[in-house]
Amino acid sequence: MTRLVASASGNGAPGSSHTAPPAADALVDEFRRQAGAAAQGAAGERLKDYQHPVGVEEFRRMGYRVVDWVCDYYAGLGARPVRTDVKPGFLAGQLPPRAPESPESFEAVLSDIETRIMPGVTHWQHPSFFAWFPANASFPALLADLIGGALGMVGFSWASSPISTELEMAMLDWMAELCGLPASFRCNGGAGPGGGVIQGTASEAVVVAWLAARARAMRGRPPGDRLKLVAYGSDQAHSCYQKACRIVGIDHVRVLPASEAHDWALQPEALRAAMEEDVKAGLIPCFLQVSIGTTSSCAVDPVGGLAAVANEYGVWTHVDAAYAGSAALLPEAREHFGGLEAVQSYAFNPHKWLLTNFDCCCMWVADSGPLKEALSLTPVFLQGVGNALDYKDWQIPLGRRFRSLKLYFVLRMYGAEGLRSFLRHHTALAGAFAAALAADPRFELAAPQRFGLVCFRLRGASRQQSEALLAELNASGARFLIHTELGGRHTLRLAVGAAGTQLEHVAAAWAAVREAADRVLGEAGAGVEGPGAGGGQAVGAGKAGGAAQ
């Protein structure tokens, strides 16, 4: 008798399709004899080979259909509304109260995509998605995700799956070279003191950097000094800065004001004054978060000047370039990234603007020692070859996915120049939108246009009018923008970044802005005075990240 371990026609485990050799049958029979009563009766029935409801050939057939669905989805994405008007709890009552006891068909599950899932989807890949910052995707990265998911490995240590660690080191070095990052950030096969790691998000990177900063600051200090540590960041910094301080348990969190006079960038003088005051009060400056590309306005803090002040006080400087970091691939944008040789850590998200599906955050440290000091823990069951390279010691969780494969596919299948062209295209689209705004006296730029972000508002308009303008723009669902506040004033944001966004989509957005302004103001130009009234002078697009790029 020859046992069928996994049926090629459908019911075997993923990746299995073979017939057990006679020797295996003999081995099983001998094992049953040795197991005795534990292999007899009802218990013996449970030892029979488990048959999965989806086997290799069924998966092949289903996979073709899913790929077809994905292709059809992208082909028709522009015709869908960017988001729907469902209300919280809309799914309640549409699903059965409990999971099914018996397997249901793939056809039934797939049919739920359009009837139950799609009504609640905000289409982040839509070419007219202009909200927040992008989370763009690409087909190469999707393919890598499929392969990585199929491999299903958990690369917490070098020994757990060597390729996961080694490809990650190589990809972080590739990316560091493409972005012109300091040599101190290179992994060099694990030979140097610094290196790179892939975190899930930039928010995770901030927490990890904080833990490293605290470990370094507390060397030789009494435990009670933990309560004296101080964090510094701009009021324009992402909320992950203050959240990280909560997670780490920091009582002294400084949120330093930035002003329109400096294009919303934190100034070294303000940082120095805050640190001097804290030192006089007996506190210990410990951590500084610097931003390259804030969420509200894409402001760029002066990295070199701020890091110079921080280094005088022995403060760890972490640079958050979550969105804007992709632009470091462009030589003409490198002026925004000066001073990184003076910082201790740096992170950006390829999953935002570099066509690498969420989640993928590249983080580098100039010295991994404090990082490992804070996070290294190797129980006996994890001890093995290559422990010095274990990425579990560079992150908060133990488990980690094979994220580097996505970078590998994207970098190879787009090439550096293909990615640069993509980034330049988006920057030019945003520059054209900013130029059209500047030519219309009803509008003003609320901050310099940088990279793919344009911040704007009706000149001299009230908050109610500005809110009404945004509501008008989003009412049809054909596009999606959000707002922020700069200097306490309601400000609209248009962030170009979806993989499929082209000139036609930005042109349509500008036409919608003009038409919405007509409706909000009653008629074109009505109720709004000329340039300079109420809202101050329009802010120019500036040479950095402007239309010329």
Side-chain angles (χ1 to χ4, degrees):
M1 183 269 293
T2 300
R3 284 183 305 110
L4 188 65
V5 174
S7 170
S9 64
N11 291 326
S16 299
S17 179
H18 66 278
T19 301
D25 286 332
L27 187 65
V28 167
D29 291 341
E30 176 62 16
F31 177 76
R32 284 180 178 274
R33 186 188 65 78
Q34 294 177 359
Q40 306 301 320
E45 286 296 311
R46 296 191 183 107
L47 291 177
K48 289 183 177 180
D49 292 344
Y50 180 80
Q51 299 296 311
H52 289 269
V54 178
V56 172
E57 291 306 318
E58 283 187 327
F59 176 73
R60 189 191 308 277
R61 177 178 59 83
M62 294 173 185
Y64 290 148
R65 290 188 60 185
V66 169
V67 169
D68 284 342
W69 182 92
V70 170
C71 292
D72 291 342
Y73 170 72
Y74 273 91
L77 187 53
R80 293 178 182 262
V82 184
R83 61 174 185 163
T84 62
D85 58 357
V86 297
K87 301 296 186 290
F90 77 96
L91 193 59
Q94 294 191 48
L95 298 181
R98 59 187 60 84
E101 280 294 325
S102 301
E104 297 186 355
S105 70
F106 172 68
E107 286 69 22
V109 176
L110 190 62
S111 70
D112 283 353
I113 296 297
E114 288 297 338
T115 60
R116 291 172 172 171
I117 304 303
M118 282 297 160
V121 170
T122 294
H123 298 282
W124 281 68
Q125 307 310 314
H126 196 289
S128 293
F129 181 95
F130 300 117
W132 298 295
F133 279 133
N136 57 40
S138 68
F139 293 132
L142 278 170
L143 293 173
D145 258 347
L146 177 60
I147 294 173
L151 293 175
M153 58 192 184
V154 185
F156 46 76
S157 66
W158 184 91
S160 69
S161 196
I163 189 58
S164 180
T165 297
E166 304 230 354
L167 185 62
E168 187 159 334
M169 288 191 293
M171 290 304 97
L172 269 294
D173 278 357
W174 279 19
M175 192 64 74
E177 190 276 331
L178 285 174
C179 294
L181 301 185
S184 58
F185 286 159
R186 307 297 172 88
C187 297
N188 296 318
V197 59
I198 299 178
Q199 306 286 354
T201 66
S203 298
E204 292 176 40
V206 177
V207 176
V208 168
W210 229 127
L211 293 171
R214 185 174 66 182
R216 190 183 73 163
M218 289 301 297
R219 289 172 180 168
R221 294 182 181 274
D225 277 359
R226 282 192 176 203
L227 301 178
K228 301 178 181 179
L229 301 180
V230 188
Y232 304 87
S234 164
D235 61 2
Q236 300 298 304
H238 192 275
S239 59
C240 67
Y241 159 63
Q242 295 186 55
K243 188 169 185 177
C245 293
R246 291 184 186 182
I247 293 171
V248 178
I250 302 303
D251 295 328
H252 307 286
V253 181
R254 306 292 179 247
V255 180
L256 306 177
S259 70
E260 185 175 8
H262 299 105
D263 293 333
W264 307 107
L266 178 62
Q267 296 304 294
E269 297 79 9
L271 176 64
R272 183 183 296 279
M275 289 185 175
E276 287 179 352
E277 183 177 346
D278 285 331
V279 170
K280 289 178 183 178
L283 300 176
I284 305 170
C286 179
F287 180 85
L288 167 65
Q289 179 157 322
V290 176
S291 301
I292 298 180
T294 60
T295 301
S296 283
S297 68
C298 227
V300 176
D301 291 335
V303 176
L306 292 168
V309 174
N311 286 333
E312 289 181 28
Y313 290 86
V315 168
W316 181 290
T317 300
H318 174 71
V319 178
D320 177 14
Y323 158 71
S326 296
L329 272 73
L330 304 176
E332 63 269 26
R334 293 279 171 82
E335 62 181 311
H336 298 299
F337 299 88
L340 291 176
E341 66 281 352
V343 310
Q344 283 68 50
S345 57
Y346 171 78
F348 87 96
N349 295 335
H351 68 234
K352 274 191 164 59
W353 199 22
L354 209 61
L355 297 163
T356 307
N357 303 351
F358 186 85
D359 56 355
C360 181
C361 171
C362 292
M363 178 185 183
W364 290 269
V365 290
D367 181 2
S368 64
L371 198 64
K372 295 178 180 180
E373 188 176 339
L375 295 169
S376 180
L377 186 63
T378 306
V380 64
F381 52 81
L382 294 182
Q383 293 173 6
V385 176
N387 277 149
L389 302 177
D390 289 355
Y391 270 130
K392 67 179 178 56
D393 300 331
W394 295 54
Q395 63 173 25
I396 295 169
L398 174 64
R400 56 200 334 270
R401 297 187 298 110
F402 193 17
R403 297 187 186 101
S404 59
L405 194 63
K406 292 187 287 191
L407 281 178
Y408 187 61
F409 271 51
V410 169
L411 292 176
R412 290 199 63 190
M413 296 180 72
Y414 275 89
E417 193 50 46
L419 293 173
R420 293 188 193 106
S421 296
F422 173 74
L423 296 170
R424 287 175 177 137
H425 174 60
H426 279 180
T427 303
L429 291 176
F433 187 87
L437 277 166
D440 189 325
R442 298 177 300 171
F443 295 96
E444 64 180 358
L445 290 171
Q449 175 256 321
R450 289 197 180 95
F451 314 117
L453 180 65
V454 183
C455 297
F456 66 99
R457 54 193 169 221
L458 286 166
R459 189 186 300 275
S462 66
R463 173 178 287 270
Q464 290 73 24
Q465 287 175 310
S466 186
E467 291 173 346
L469 177 64
L470 181 61
E472 286 277 347
L473 289 171
N474 289 335
S476 71
R479 67 202 56 82
F480 184 25
L481 286 73
I482 64 165
H483 78 281
T484 187
E485 286 196 3
L486 291 172
R489 299 181 62 189
H490 189 274
T491 302
L492 279 65
R493 296 169 72 263
L494 181 135
V496 178
T501 301
Q502 306 289 3
L503 181 59
E504 64 179 286
H505 305 109
V506 175
W510 171 237
V513 167
R514 295 179 64 192
E515 293 167 4
D518 290 345
R519 291 190 292 272
V520 168
L521 299 175
E523 58 182 21
V528 178
E529 300 180 28
Q537 295 298 314
V539 181
K543 65 174 182 178
Q549 292 186 18

